[in-house]
Each structure stands twice: as structure tokens, then as C-alpha cells.
Amino acid sequence: MSRVRALVVGSLVMDLAFRVPKRPEPGEVVIADDFGEYRGGKGYNQAVALARLGAEVTMVGAVGRDAHGEAFLEALRREGVDARYIVRLRGVRTALAVPLITPDGDVGFVQHPGANRELAPAHCADLPDCDVLLLQGEVPAPTSLQAARVIRKRGGLVMLNPAPVHQVTDELVDAATLITPNEVEARALAGADVTDVAAAEALATQERAAVVTLGSRGAAWADASGSGLVAPPAVSALDATGAGDSFCAALTLALAEGQALEGAVAFACAAGAHATTRAGAEPGLPTRADVERLLGTTA
């Protein structure tokens, strides 16, 4: 079977990650237990995860002409991702984020979008052919919409991970053939207090599948053929950073390889679970062997 050709239009963010006993209250200073610097951003994470899972990957994104930007370009090439479409911008910094990770592995972020905010529709004027396109909410919606329209016309699958949800337009949602929100994002998009399978069903249409990620409870799915709930394999969670991106990459890859949605969700749940067992986004992005090993333990 030929390799899936994946295109990611999305963000690159340098994570300055703090492991904390709890998140600070207003005016409170919390002493971190540990600190790490990791390459991340939803677009970068999804691109690297796809490459590690076996796809042929091209990424479109923006970085500053700074040390962080150079580190991203070098890392993408090292992971086998085609970085020719990454633009280097003067007068703007590569995006930065500060993840705060609590002992239960949960994570919250403060982010400065930097160069991601400058990625324009013109940067998507000459996209390479692909089987799947992955989009998120961390670059301007008009840029993502331009890419979605191009790839849909060519018959490709368009996955939208609507995070952060307030950056996603109705037009962009309608352009996707697959949408992958978490529970909070699903409720915002549905305009109703829906959960689990009902949330996926509320967002699915005849032309669009919906998968709602539920953290440690797995994921709910719905498409024109039906709906359901998939539980993840049991792991000892350390850090949830990058878990959702690993899930999206694995889900899209499995669908492009011909798996039915329920089976693709199970594959994606294993990828997301593996990502939680490592500190930082990039170190936890799974290989295909990692995913298959977890699926084998639950077979």
C-alpha cells in the first residue's frame, strides 16, 4: 500500500513548560517542580505525529527569523517532513506558549501567536497534492479556509481540529469533511449542552463526520452510517500535552488508509493515550509501533 500523502496547514509554537503542584490563583506565586522547553503547536505536533506514523507529510506554516524558527525547520527536516512551505518572517517572533502541567497530567496554556497570526491565504496559493489536509484554529481562519477549498476541490479529506474554537468560523466548519473538537468545543459549535455521543451526533452531517475527544474516557464518533463511543487503552498519564494532536493525526491517517470511522477512532485513542505517557508534546508523539503495541495489549 502506498503511503498516505498528508498536508498540514497550521501552527508552530515553542512550549516553555512548567510542571506545577497547582495552577496559581490571582496574585499567587506557585513554585514549579520542573521545567522543559519543547517544540509544539497543533500544526507542528500533527505533522510530526503523521510522519512518525508513516505518512508522507508536507507542512505549511510560519516562523520568525529567530533561533526558535531555525530549530523548527531543522526538526521538521529531521522528522522527514517537507518544510519547503514554511515561511520565515522578518519583524515577528516565532510563537511561544507556557503550558502549566498539574500532577494529574492535565495542562492549561498561555500563548502568544507570533508568526502564526501572519500566515496568510496567499501562502496557500500553490498547495501540493495530498490525500488528507489537517487544519486547526491556531492560524487565521481565512488561510485555513483557502486551503480547505483547494483540497476539497481535489477530492481530499479535510480534517478540522477546532481549537481554539473562538478562532473557527462557521464557513470553515462547513468546509471540513471531518471535525474533531473536545467536549467544550463541541458544545460551543453545537450551541447546545450536549455530551458524549450526542455531541458527535449534533455535529455530524451527511457529508461530515464528527469525533469528539473525551480525554481519559476516549472519544465519541458519528457519521452518516451511525455513532458510538470508544474507550482508550489504560496508561499511566504523565502529561496530556500533544495527546489531542496525536489523536487527530492517527485518526486522519487511519481513515485515509481505508479504515471505517469506529476502527479509526480506536487507533486514534491509542495514539492519544501513548502521548500522555511522556513529558512534553514532541517526545510523546507516537510511532506506528507505539500505537500497535497499545492496541495489542487491549486486543
Side-chain angles (χ1 to χ4, degrees):
M1 182 173 61
S2 60
R3 295 170 68 194
V4 170
R5 298 169 302 164
L7 174 64
V8 179
V9 175
S11 58
L12 303 99
V13 183
M14 185 62 72
D15 288 343
L16 309 178
F18 293 84
R19 188 167 299 280
V20 294
K22 70 183 193 73
R23 297 198 184 98
E25 302 294 333
E28 181 184 15
V29 174
V30 172
I31 303 301
D33 300 320
D34 199 5
F35 168 79
E37 186 171 308
Y38 307 100
R39 287 174 294 272
K42 300 188 75 62
Y44 175 80
N45 292 342
Q46 290 175 18
V48 172
L50 280 161
R52 291 183 184 179
L53 290 166
E56 180 182 319
V57 188
T58 301
M59 185 173 181
V60 178
V63 296
R65 289 182 176 270
D66 52 28
H68 291 323
E70 290 300 322
F72 271 117
L73 291 171
E74 182 180 341
L76 286 169
R77 297 184 187 112
R78 187 169 58 248
E79 294 284 352
V81 175
D82 184 347
R84 290 177 296 165
Y85 294 83
I86 303 294
V87 294
R88 299 172 66 227
L89 302 175
R90 294 187 183 278
V92 61
R93 294 179 181 274
T94 300
L96 291 172
V98 180
L100 299 178
I101 307 145
T102 49
D104 60 0
D106 197 10
V107 61
F109 295 86
V110 177
Q111 185 185 113
H112 181 265
N116 292 326
R117 195 157 45 192
E118 307 302 320
L119 189 68
H123 295 129
C124 296
D126 185 26
L127 297 175
D129 287 336
C130 64
D131 303 305
V132 295
L133 167 67
L134 285 78
L135 303 170
Q136 320 83 33
E138 292 183 337
V139 300
T143 304
S144 295
L145 183 60
Q146 164 71 11
R149 286 172 169 168
V150 169
I151 300 307
R152 284 214 54 175
K153 283 182 180 178
R154 298 179 188 173
L157 185 156
V158 178
M159 188 284 294
L160 172 63
N161 181 214
V165 70
H166 65 274
Q167 300 285 358
V168 172
T169 64
D170 292 342
E171 199 173 15
L172 183 54
V173 172
D174 290 340
T177 53
L178 170 66
I179 188 166
T180 60
N182 62 24
E183 286 185 284
V184 174
E185 294 154 358
R187 286 194 288 271
L189 292 170
D193 188 17
V194 287
T195 59
D196 296 357
V197 175
E201 291 173 340
L203 295 174
T205 68
Q206 285 297 116
E207 295 186 345
R208 182 179 68 232
V211 177
V212 178
T213 56
L214 308 172
S216 62
R217 295 187 292 119
W221 62 272
D223 63 8
S225 68
S227 59
L229 187 66
V230 176
V235 296
S236 296
L238 177 65
D239 180 358
T241 311
D245 298 325
S246 297
F247 181 98
C248 290
L251 174 67
T252 312
L253 178 71
L255 289 172
E257 290 179 343
Q259 289 196 46
L261 184 56
E262 184 173 15
V265 172
F267 185 79
C269 281
H274 177 273
T276 70
T277 65
R278 303 287 188 273
E282 188 176 26
L285 300 175
T287 65
R288 189 153 201 138
D290 292 327
V291 176
E292 291 175 346
R293 186 160 49 247
L294 272 180
L295 288 173
T297 63
T298 60

